[in-house]
Amino acid sequence: METPVPLKDLTFAHRDEFDRKSIAEKVIKLLDAEMDFCPMAIDGGWGTGKTEFCHKLINLIKEQDARRQKAAREAAADAARAAENAEASADAVAQADTAAQPATDGEQTTAQAAALPPERAVIYLDAFASETVDDPLLCILAAIRAEFPDKETRKNISRKAVPVVKTLGKVAGKALFAHVFKQDLEDVSEAVADAASDGVNSLIDQTVDKLLDQYADAQENLDALKNVIATAAAQRPILFFIDELDRCRPDFALSILELVKHVFDIPGIKFIFVANLEQLKAAIRKRYGQDVDADVYLEKFINLSILLPSVCCDTGLNAAYVLFKNNFQSIGIFDSYFSIYAKIVIHFINKYEINLRGVDKFIRNMEIYCSVYGNSPLYNGNLITIYHLAFILAIFIFTFNKDVARKFVLDDIDDSIYAFMGDSSDENLNNMLIFIADMVFYGRDFDPSKGRIAMEKHEETVGLLNVMFDGRFYKHYFDVRKLIADHIRKMNFIPVNR
């Protein structure tokens, strides 16, 4: 078995089943553009593969930067060799005549090398993992400081960062104290308040004076810190990716957005957020109230958002289904988009809006079944179609709908099974869904004549029977409800009666 590649090392060369490399290449063009589009956001719902895409994008940036640096070094070496060859010419006259051209070539090559962007630092910060520190300012500063190998730059950043962190903390604390103190006074009786007014006013005046002085100090220290970072970033520009913002506490996530805008708006640093923007909007409303326009608020912090599509860029196929299909390539039954297996799986993925993370869970539960009970029915080519479909449905139900799973375990199936199966605009698939629901609903008493497929559709019924049972239907031998229920019971480690 191959050793899995760590997530942070994944590249599009390892896998790109959703054809997202083309998106990454366009993002890089935006990051390289003369106009600054940052802060930018890579948006997508939960479980759509944002983090994996982020790491692949980062590694693609590093690959391209490495090629640029290599080209720059080779160009510089070519220029140096051209200059040496010109100086080594024995013929002084010929040297005077010919040196000009190599020197010009060398100068052009050197200029081209110098025109290439300097080596960039690419930072990845998992905001959710950093939440335990409870200080987004420190998290961002520490990540930036770590990217500069020379000790002097690191010391300068540290020296300038300390008073900023301390002063901002003091100002915030004093402001909060003053606010609370003043609010407390409003609850004191009027007589006591009058008696204390002179002393209180004097104290408030002193507090305000100190706050103003500290604010001025904070601004001065902040400007000094930004200048130090800007100087360092001029030599080593920074692309700063902040992931998992949507999983953070609302106050922590929004603090990061506000810090990036107000503190780290520094030349040479570009921020890219990786988040579910709908969830960030919910965080905004939670913090500032339901009446706030979250879209307008978010626009203050994000200049451009790029939505990861839920379909493959080249084929248009549902990305979640492609992930599922690719995990069962050795079987082959899902290869054709028009196979009954593919249609059923795609139907349920679309109906219940199953994302990539959900498909991963679905596949993992299939693998758990195989680990405990041996190969799943999918790997048994001798079994008829309905056995395969019953297994797929059972694991899907176990994974995504515990209420329906409980009904199967308790043998308490009612007509809600038809709603669970859903319907389709594809008439053949729709008949198939109804037919499966019929078999589940009636269980051991199933008879084609009882189904919701109209009796006048005799040919369709015969056709469905042939597809489901490969022409070998004997109603007494097949209880589809029990087939599904047994698989669900096995997943719950409940003994199955034969």
Side-chain angles (χ1 to χ4, degrees):
M1 182 179 292
E2 293 183 8
T3 304
V5 179
L7 184 61
K8 66 181 182 63
D9 296 329
L10 273 179
T11 68
F12 289 106
H14 287 114
R15 63 177 186 234
D16 187 22
E17 58 268 69
F18 313 129
D19 306 310
R20 288 176 172 174
K21 184 178 181 181
S22 60
I23 299 175
E25 290 170 337
K26 292 179 177 67
V27 172
I28 293 173
K29 286 182 178 180
L30 292 173
L31 294 174
D32 289 342
E34 208 169 304
M35 180 179 287
D36 189 359
F37 297 99
C38 292
M40 100 177 32
I42 296 171
D43 181 21
W46 276 341
T48 54
K50 297 186 299 297
T51 294
E52 179 171 319
F53 176 80
C54 177
H55 284 293
K56 289 177 177 177
L57 171 59
I58 288 172
N59 289 327
L60 184 60
I61 291 170
K62 290 179 178 179
E63 289 171 13
Q64 292 189 1
D65 282 359
R67 286 198 295 269
R68 291 180 182 180
Q69 295 300 316
K70 181 181 178 182
R73 288 193 298 270
E74 290 175 351
D78 289 344
R81 281 193 295 269
E84 288 174 3
N85 290 338
E87 292 174 1
S89 176
D91 190 333
V93 176
Q95 179 180 343
D97 292 335
T98 59
Q101 182 61 39
T104 302
D105 289 344
E107 288 167 6
Q108 288 177 345
T109 309
T110 304
Q112 290 169 357
L116 288 170
E119 184 180 359
R120 289 186 289 199
V122 185
I123 298 173
Y124 174 83
L125 178 69
D126 183 335
F128 183 60
S130 303
E131 197 178 38
T132 53
V133 177
D134 205 27
D135 191 333
L137 177 61
L138 283 178
C139 293
I140 296 173
L141 280 173
I144 291 174
R145 177 182 175 275
E147 282 301 319
F148 294 98
D150 60 296
K151 291 183 179 180
E152 193 57 35
T153 300
R154 293 162 69 97
K155 283 182 180 178
N156 283 340
I157 293 175
S158 296
R159 280 196 294 265
K160 300 300 181 183
V162 169
V164 170
V165 174
K166 285 185 176 180
T167 310
L168 287 179
K170 285 182 180 179
V171 171
K174 289 289 181 63
L176 179 62
F177 170 78
H179 172 73
V180 172
F181 188 69
K182 187 176 178 182
Q183 290 298 113
D184 285 346
L185 284 178
E186 293 173 357
D187 296 331
V188 180
S189 66
E190 187 177 346
V192 175
D194 288 340
S197 62
D198 291 340
V200 169
N201 287 335
S202 175
L203 178 58
I204 290 177
D205 288 343
Q206 293 176 30
T207 302
V208 169
D209 286 341
K210 287 183 180 179
L211 286 172
L212 290 173
D213 289 341
Q214 289 178 3
Y215 176 80
D217 289 342
Q219 193 61 48
E220 184 178 333
N221 290 329
L222 181 56
D223 290 341
L225 173 63
K226 291 170 77 170
N227 288 336
V228 168
I229 295 176
T231 300
Q235 302 301 316
R236 185 172 166 79
I238 296 172
L239 296 179
F240 202 129
F241 289 81
I242 300 181
D243 191 13
E244 304 284 17
L245 266 182
D246 47 317
R247 297 180 65 192
C248 297
R249 299 191 316 271
D251 60 323
F252 191 84
L254 298 183
S255 293
I256 287 181
L257 290 177
E258 291 161 359
L259 279 170
V260 167
K261 180 175 177 64
H262 300 301
V263 176
F264 293 99
D265 183 17
I266 300 172
I269 303 182
K270 295 183 178 182
F271 283 89
I272 304 94
F273 303 116
V274 183
N276 179 350
L277 294 189
E278 287 303 316
Q279 190 63 26
L280 277 185
K281 292 173 189 176
I284 291 167
R285 287 188 284 267
K286 183 176 178 64
R287 184 172 183 179
Y288 295 110
Q290 294 300 314
D291 293 334
V292 70
D293 191 328
D295 290 282
V296 172
Y297 182 88
L298 206 54
E299 286 174 2
K300 298 177 183 178
F301 304 98
I302 297 173
N303 292 333
L304 174 68
S305 63
I306 298 167
L307 179 66
L308 283 185
S310 59
V311 298
C312 292
C313 297
D314 284 351
T315 64
L317 290 177
N318 184 302
Y321 173 70
V322 172
L323 177 61
F324 180 85
K325 176 177 76 72
N326 288 349
N327 274 270
F328 296 98
Q329 283 182 333
S330 61
I331 304 176
I333 63 174
F334 300 105
D335 288 350
S336 171
Y337 184 72
F338 300 102
S339 77
I340 181 59
Y341 300 105
K343 284 187 172 184
I344 290 287
V345 172
I346 291 170
H347 167 76
F348 280 103
I349 285 175
N350 289 335
K351 175 175 171 57
Y352 292 99
E353 298 180 346
I354 307 302
N355 56 31
L356 298 179
R357 191 171 292 150
V359 168
D360 267 333
K361 187 177 180 183
F362 186 22
I363 294 168
R364 187 167 60 251
N365 281 337
M366 286 187 169
E367 291 172 349
I368 289 171
Y369 187 101
C370 293
S371 297
V372 176
Y373 301 105
N375 278 341
S376 77
L378 293 181
Y379 292 91
N380 189 339
N382 295 321
L383 292 178
I384 59 177
T385 302
I386 190 59
Y387 275 103
H388 294 155
L389 290 176
F391 176 72
I392 293 170
L393 278 172
I395 304 303
F396 185 91
I397 291 167
F398 174 82
T399 305
F400 299 113
N401 198 318
K402 297 301 181 186
D403 289 337
V404 175
R406 190 177 300 109
K407 287 184 177 183
F408 273 97
V409 170
L410 299 176
D411 196 22
D412 186 28
I413 297 297
D414 54 29
D415 62 2
S416 64
I417 190 64
Y418 291 94
F420 170 79
M421 295 297 293
D423 51 30
S424 171
S425 58
D426 179 330
E427 185 178 0
N428 289 332
L429 176 59
N430 194 60
N431 288 339
M432 184 73 70
L433 294 170
I434 296 173
F435 201 69
I436 294 172
D438 284 339
M439 289 188 285
V440 170
F441 180 71
Y442 289 104
R444 67 177 65 88
D445 297 325
F446 171 71
D447 187 291
S449 63
K450 295 181 178 179
R452 290 193 178 186
I453 298 292
M455 285 305 297
E456 61 268 19
K457 292 188 176 181
H458 178 70
E459 291 184 7
E460 285 87 340
T461 303
V462 172
L464 289 170
L465 286 170
N466 286 331
V467 170
M468 291 287 191
F469 298 97
D470 298 342
R472 293 178 282 170
F473 173 67
Y474 302 97
K475 65 178 182 179
H476 299 296
Y477 295 168
F478 295 94
D479 183 346
V480 175
R481 182 197 295 185
K482 186 176 187 306
L483 282 177
I484 295 174
D486 284 352
H487 291 312
I488 294 173
R489 289 189 180 100
K490 285 181 176 181
M491 288 300 295
N492 285 298
F493 301 150
I494 299 173
V496 173
N497 295 323
R498 297 295 179 184

